[in-house]
Amino acid sequence: MARKGNEAGSLVLPWSFGGERSIKRPSADGTVLIVALVLALIGLVMVFSASGVVAGSRFQDPIFFLKRQLAWLMVGLLLLQMASRLDYTIWRRAALPILGVTALLLVLVLIPGIGTAAKGARRWLRLGAVSIQPAEMVKLVVVLYLAAYLSKKGERIKELARGYLPPLVVVGVLSALVLLQPDLGTVVVVGIVTLGLLFLGGARLAHLFAVVPVLIAATAVLIWKSPYRWQRLMTFLDPMKDPTGSGFQVNQSFLAFGSGGPFGVGLGEGRQKLFFLPEAHTDFVLALVGEELGLIGTSAIMLLFTVLVLKGFQIAGRAREPFGRHLALGITLLMGVQALINAGVATGLLPTKGLTLPLVSYGGSSLVMNLLAVGILLSISRDRQPGRSLMRYGGTKAA
């Protein structure tokens, strides 16, 4: 007779011994691992291509950014390996403590002398020679918290006061701390993922629709009260009005995509990175891909993200436990939404926001947190129900 713990879907740890614990676990989803590694390696190449000239001029070291990205990649891959081997249910118990630590880090960032300011924003904590960005942690931490909360509440999420409102308050407090940095882009991603998870977790549509006008109004006020956000919105509506001023970055992005054509000008041969396109190795790395690798290159990257999202949904559908389903959906939504917004900004379909392209853009905190998220997703893929690729999110078989 099978153990009750196995029926509940608990993972068998590799260091466990005896009896049924020695049964070999299913392997992790190889497609997710390969796609994540390919995206990270593409990012490594494009970061070097995009930043070599700038790094040589600013730091007298053409591989300045490459060395740091490579170091963070090694750290991220180590965390991915560890997370993929751990029983993912450990994150359910750790969700609240991690949430508290993250909130504390967000407060520390805002304290002068502790938080580091750059380009008008205070978003970094410096630990010796290393800088970390707690706002990047918030995205994954919110997903962990919501997955634990939804798995605990179950059908009670349909109740307004005892189910639906508490997570909105918690996420709202974290979002307020992020806004003080300021970082509206991260708050937008967190907000979309939060509403998406609550919807998929069974929240009432009436409750969801009730909060949307409030969020839209709050966002409108934040834009209206902030001169630089208002300028970004006006530039988005008419990017050619001031092509050498407020519209410079997005117009240079247009030029990068346009000059690349179907097949690109060749890897390393792009010209927009020669002090024309600002942040070519971070927020606008996709524009450089479009210039050097063309439509083929950008399409390949977006196709890889599409595969990653589809596999994430499949992993969620096969997960044995509600926590695993919520967590897999949250991670998938997080990476998919951020990739979509980044691509929309680079192509002028959305106003400019400071959001990286997951796994591809330069940025240690972003790269490490995304690789950790992939590792958790791989762990969930090990604890699957064979033969079930399509399930209703609540756990019932699809027809």
Side-chain angles (χ1 to χ4, degrees), residues 238-371:
D238 187 5
M240 298 305 297
K241 184 177 181 180
D242 187 13
T244 60
S246 60
F248 181 77
Q249 189 174 36
V250 69
N251 277 282
Q252 294 303 312
S253 182
F254 292 161
L255 288 173
F257 281 113
S259 61
F263 304 105
V265 299
L267 184 62
E269 300 298 322
R271 296 185 177 183
Q272 292 307 115
K273 63 190 179 185
L274 305 178
F275 307 102
F276 292 105
L277 178 61
E279 311 298 336
H281 59 300
T282 57
D283 303 347
F284 281 79
V285 69
L286 191 64
L288 184 69
V289 173
E291 182 183 18
E292 296 191 350
L293 303 181
L295 179 62
I296 298 297
T298 54
S299 298
I301 287 180
M302 298 315 295
L303 179 61
L304 287 171
F305 276 111
T306 301
V307 172
L308 189 61
V309 169
L310 292 176
K311 292 299 293 184
F313 287 144
Q314 185 182 66
I315 290 170
R318 288 179 173 176
R320 293 178 183 271
E321 295 192 0
F323 176 69
R325 293 195 288 273
H326 295 302
L327 186 53
L329 257 296
I331 291 172
T332 303
L333 286 174
L334 178 61
M335 301 189 73
V337 166
Q338 186 162 331
L340 198 60
I341 291 178
N342 180 275
V345 168
T347 54
L349 296 176
L350 292 172
T352 303
K353 297 183 183 297
L355 287 173
T356 59
L357 185 62
L359 300 171
V360 180
S361 294
Y362 174 80
S365 298
S366 173
L367 181 61
V368 168
M369 295 311 296
N370 281 303
L371 287 172

Side-chain angles (χ1 to χ4, degrees), residues 101-339:
V101 171
T102 304
L104 177 61
L105 293 177
L106 290 175
V107 172
L108 292 176
V109 164
L110 301 174
I111 300 175
I114 298 179
T116 302
K119 299 180 180 179
R122 187 177 294 276
R123 300 177 184 175
W124 296 269
L125 286 174
R126 183 170 292 278
L127 304 174
V130 177
S131 292
I132 62 171
Q133 191 173 351
E136 288 295 337
M137 299 170 57
V138 169
K139 302 169 190 175
L140 182 57
V141 168
V142 165
V143 169
L144 292 174
Y145 162 71
L146 289 174
Y149 182 86
L150 289 170
S151 63
K152 179 181 178 181
K153 288 294 181 178
E155 288 297 316
R156 283 182 293 171
I157 193 64
K158 298 181 182 296
E159 301 176 19
L160 180 62
R162 294 193 299 172
Y164 178 67
L165 289 181
L168 290 185
V169 172
V170 172
V171 175
V173 170
L174 290 177
S175 298
L177 292 173
V178 174
L179 281 173
L180 291 174
Q181 297 183 2
D183 187 353
L184 181 59
T186 294
V187 173
V188 169
V189 171
V190 168
I192 293 173
V193 172
T194 297
L195 292 180
L197 264 181
L198 290 174
F199 167 71
L200 293 170
R204 294 185 184 277
L205 288 177
H207 295 163
L208 291 166
F209 286 139
V211 78
V212 170
V214 176
L215 296 177
I216 293 176
T219 303
V221 170
L222 289 171
I223 293 174
W224 180 48
K225 291 292 185 178
S226 174
Y228 82 91
R229 288 178 185 142
W230 180 258
Q231 187 179 59
R232 284 181 174 182
L233 179 61
M234 294 299 100
T235 300
F236 163 69
L237 296 176
D238 187 5
M240 298 305 297
K241 184 177 181 180
D242 187 13
T244 60
S246 60
F248 181 77
Q249 189 174 36
V250 69
N251 277 282
Q252 294 303 312
S253 182
F254 292 161
L255 288 173
F257 281 113
S259 61
F263 304 105
V265 299
L267 184 62
E269 300 298 322
R271 296 185 177 183
Q272 292 307 115
K273 63 190 179 185
L274 305 178
F275 307 102
F276 292 105
L277 178 61
E279 311 298 336
H281 59 300
T282 57
D283 303 347
F284 281 79
V285 69
L286 191 64
L288 184 69
V289 173
E291 182 183 18
E292 296 191 350
L293 303 181
L295 179 62
I296 298 297
T298 54
S299 298
I301 287 180
M302 298 315 295
L303 179 61
L304 287 171
F305 276 111
T306 301
V307 172
L308 189 61
V309 169
L310 292 176
K311 292 299 293 184
F313 287 144
Q314 185 182 66
I315 290 170
R318 288 179 173 176
R320 293 178 183 271
E321 295 192 0
F323 176 69
R325 293 195 288 273
H326 295 302
L327 186 53
L329 257 296
I331 291 172
T332 303
L333 286 174
L334 178 61
M335 301 189 73
V337 166
Q338 186 162 331

Side-chain angles (χ1 to χ4, degrees), residues 67-132:
K67 289 187 296 186
R68 280 153 179 76
Q69 187 77 346
L70 182 59
W72 285 116
L73 177 60
M74 295 299 102
V75 173
L77 290 176
L78 177 62
L79 290 178
L80 181 152
Q81 171 68 5
M82 293 172 61
S84 69
R85 296 289 178 179
L86 281 176
D87 185 339
Y88 67 87
T89 58
I90 194 174
W91 298 104
R92 178 168 52 198
R93 299 187 293 273
L96 283 179
I98 293 175
L99 185 72
V101 171
T102 304
L104 177 61
L105 293 177
L106 290 175
V107 172
L108 292 176
V109 164
L110 301 174
I111 300 175
I114 298 179
T116 302
K119 299 180 180 179
R122 187 177 294 276
R123 300 177 184 175
W124 296 269
L125 286 174
R126 183 170 292 278
L127 304 174
V130 177
S131 292
I132 62 171

